[in-house]
Amino acid sequence: MARHYDDLETRGQDEREAALAAALPRQIANAMATAPAMAAHLGAVEPAAVTDRAALAKLPVLRKSALSAAQKAAPPFGGFAPSPGATHHVFQSPGPIYEPGGVGRDWWRMGRALFAAGIGKGDIVQNCFSYHLTPAGMMFENGAAAVGASVLPAGTGQTELQAEAAAAVGVTAYTGTPDYLKVILDKAAEMGLDLSRLKKALVGGGALFPSLRAEYRERGILCIQGYGTADLGSIAYESPGPDGAVEGMIVDEGVIVEIVRPGTGDPVPEGEVGEVVVTTLNPDYPLIRFATGDLSAILPGLGPCGRTNMRIRGWMGRADQTAKIKGMFVRPEQVAAFVARHAEIARARVTVTRAGEQDAMLVEVESPGGDAAAYAESVSAALKLKGEVRIVAPGSLPNDGKVIDDQRKYD
């Protein structure tokens, strides 16, 4: 079996950036021509001028809340995708949010992640992602077709039947949530069924904890995880090196990933935790700078698998940290506005606690100096609340992506 899905995965960085410079203007022009809501959101942008990441970072971020509001006003896609007649599927995700779906080869780009898991021709994949309303089942079905694997469309639930079917058809691979594979394996063992042919797994939709990955390894199963969304398809995926080691997630070749400071669209330095913002190059659903609400960070250098695209650390929590303090909502955007007022401030962090029976707000400011009293006035203007301000050394705040840390206990 070849080591890589195609030659795109091993391109040099200059070649990849040159391809990006050609693809970005085309996709933005396509979005403005086929998706009127996307065109309105982008405003008076000149597609030909957006040829690199720096230019892309100047465009506005699109949030799921805007997508939801637009879909309520103009169902089902809100003007962000062609009409349902131009798509093969219409899916519904929680919210509800409606997404288009296609049947072209690797439409959601899941093939790369499946290939990295060693899945291909001759494999029978037990696909335990849901086929009901949400697109996950079809996403992995479409990817399996791209790598030439057969599929047992199992969906969710009915574990005894799942175990019986896996044994009867000789399933060799699994796709689904990380923990459900263990449920099937344990049920098969209880029923005396042989699932020893199952050697590969690509999981998603939840965290693959190290202890669970180790248990699968002890059972002879290579289990890696992918990261994607219903709107965007595959974003990144793990890829083991020759010794089986996994170091971060490789960004898919069909998307552009930025890590930005929560509440802004500003890219953060390599290694700093921020919100994952994705631009997809899928012409059928041209989402530009779509904010996932997830936190991650860019990893330095290349992984051990030979793939050369950017790596991220994987899912590290949620970026939406809005908190209600003393009856007022405080949002990451407001904290970003406060920081923007002061060139010497690198970062700021709001910590919310309880003092007696009252909310207490501490604002820690990374600055080489400054006047705490003046900062306190600026905080009050930006956040509409008064709080204690503490000046801390640059680089001393935790690198966890948190802008607002709500430490109040509600139980």
Side-chain angles (χ1 to χ4, degrees):
M1 185 175 181
R3 287 188 60 198
H4 301 110
Y5 187 72
D6 58 23
D7 292 341
L8 297 181
E9 295 183 339
T10 55
R11 288 180 290 181
Q13 193 57 27
D14 289 346
E15 184 181 357
R16 185 174 282 110
E17 292 303 312
L20 170 67
L24 257 178
R26 288 199 303 267
Q27 181 68 327
I28 292 171
N30 170 58
M32 299 182 78
T34 64
M38 193 75 243
H41 176 76
L42 291 172
V45 62
E46 176 52 55
V50 186
T51 58
D52 57 23
R53 293 175 184 273
L56 179 65
K58 295 177 182 178
L59 302 182
V61 168
L62 174 65
R63 300 204 167 272
K64 187 163 284 195
S65 56
L67 206 61
S68 178
Q71 289 186 356
K72 288 177 181 176
F77 300 137
F80 284 96
S83 65
T87 65
H88 193 83
H89 292 108
V90 178
F91 295 102
Q92 184 198 73
S93 295
I97 295 284
Y98 294 92
E99 301 101 1
V103 292
R105 185 182 187 277
D106 216 4
W107 197 84
W108 287 276
R109 303 174 313 282
M110 284 295 170
R112 293 187 187 280
L114 288 160
F115 188 92
I119 298 171
K121 291 181 180 178
D123 280 309
I124 302 174
V125 181
Q126 185 155 343
N127 185 12
C128 293
F129 282 107
S130 175
Y131 283 79
H132 177 65
L133 288 179
T134 62
M138 290 303 302
M139 289 165 73
F140 283 82
E141 172 109 6
N142 185 260
V147 297
S150 300
V151 175
L152 173 65
T156 58
Q158 297 183 298
T159 305
E160 285 192 12
L161 290 177
Q162 297 248 15
E164 289 175 352
V169 305
V171 161
T172 62
Y174 165 90
T175 54
T177 56
D179 52 353
Y180 191 53
L181 173 57
K182 175 175 166 53
V183 174
I184 293 174
L185 293 171
D186 288 348
K187 178 59 68 173
E190 177 188 312
M191 298 171 67
L193 299 172
D194 179 12
L195 299 191
S196 61
R197 293 186 62 188
L198 204 167
K199 299 294 185 184
K200 311 162 188 177
L202 174 66
V203 300
L208 174 59
F209 293 100
S211 58
L212 189 56
R213 193 199 296 265
E215 179 173 338
Y216 291 148
R217 188 182 303 117
E218 290 172 2
R219 289 174 133 165
I221 300 171
L222 170 67
C223 182
I224 67 169
Q225 56 187 332
Y227 167 48
T229 71
D231 320 270
L232 299 160
S234 179
I235 297 171
Y237 55 93
E238 291 181 334
S239 178
D243 61 353
V246 173
E247 297 179 11
M249 288 185 162
I250 310 291
V251 170
D252 186 83
E253 297 293 336
V255 296
I256 302 163
V257 169
E258 302 169 90
I259 307 294
V260 308
R261 187 156 286 116
T264 77
D266 302 330
V268 300
E270 182 180 277
E272 185 172 323
V273 178
E275 183 176 10
V276 179
V277 169
V278 180
T279 295
T280 173
L281 301 179
N282 180 352
D284 298 333
Y285 196 21
L287 294 175
I288 311 297
R289 300 203 83 202
F290 186 75
T292 64
D294 296 328
L295 294 174
S296 193
I298 298 171
L299 288 174
L302 303 179
C305 65
R307 291 170 175 82
T308 57
N309 206 351
M310 183 175 82
R311 294 182 303 148
I312 61 175
R313 286 177 60 183
W315 187 84
M316 299 177 66
R318 292 292 292 170
D320 184 7
Q321 301 159 30
T322 298
K324 200 170 190 178
I325 309 170
K326 299 179 182 178
M328 296 287 290
F329 282 109
V330 175
R331 296 178 170 83
E333 297 93 317
Q334 293 171 277
V335 182
F338 159 68
V339 171
R341 296 176 180 219
H342 306 277
E344 73 280 8
I345 295 179
R347 288 193 297 162
R349 182 185 184 102
V350 173
T351 301
V352 191
T353 56
R354 294 284 286 174
E357 294 301 320
Q358 291 187 329
D359 291 338
M361 183 176 75
L362 168 67
V363 182
E364 294 175 285
V365 175
E366 281 192 1
S367 174
D371 181 350
Y375 286 156
E377 290 184 9
S378 186
V379 164
S380 180
L383 276 59
K384 313 304 180 187
L385 286 172
K386 294 181 179 180
E388 178 189 354
V389 171
R390 183 181 300 163
I391 299 174
V392 300
S396 61
L397 291 178
N399 181 23
D400 57 7
K402 286 187 178 180
V403 175
I404 302 172
D405 183 10
D406 190 348
Q407 297 183 357
R408 295 171 293 185
K409 304 298 182 184
Y410 295 90
D411 51 8

